[in-house]
Amino acid sequence: NEVGLISVNDVDVAPNLKTATVYIGVLGGDAQKKKGMEALEKNRKRIQGLLGKAIILKYTPLLRFVLDESVERGNRVLKILDELEKSSTPE
């Protein structure tokens, strides 16, 4: 897949509902992350339009996509902890 697997990890909506920061996770390599974020940005207005049809709000928030690598960092930490546990366990 060119854009990898895209997931929405979190959303922060401004109190005035005019903007929303969407934290995106992209499973894949660096090229897939870049293409995934480019695809989201390219389709931002269409996504906002779909959002406006799906929910009733005074304003449809302007979406801002941010790459969120917290899940990957968490997985790396868990892998390191697992390796440390294996290396410290006597056989």
Side-chain angles (χ1 to χ4, degrees):
N1 189 348
E2 283 188 17
V3 297
L5 178 64
I6 296 174
S7 65
V8 175
N9 294 347
D10 197 8
V11 178
D12 284 334
V13 180
N16 65 5
L17 303 178
K18 291 188 177 183
T19 61
T21 302
V22 183
Y23 296 93
I24 300 295
V26 181
L27 188 60
D30 289 339
Q32 289 175 311
K33 288 178 187 176
K34 183 179 180 198
K35 286 182 181 182
M37 294 303 291
E38 287 172 354
L40 285 171
E41 193 56 43
K42 179 180 174 186
N43 292 287
R44 183 179 54 80
K45 288 185 180 182
R46 180 172 172 263
I47 295 167
Q48 282 176 202
L50 293 170
L51 179 66
K53 290 178 184 176
I55 58 173
I56 308 284
L57 291 173
K58 186 174 182 178
Y59 304 104
T60 299
L62 173 68
L63 301 178
R64 183 173 74 98
F65 298 107
V66 175
L67 184 61
D68 178 15
E69 296 182 334
S70 61
V71 173
E72 284 185 34
R73 284 194 304 274
N75 286 339
R76 279 195 301 265
V77 169
L78 290 173
K79 184 178 177 182
I80 291 169
L81 289 173
D82 189 45
E83 289 173 5
L84 288 172
E85 185 177 309
K86 286 178 183 176
S87 67
S88 66
T89 305
E91 294 182 24

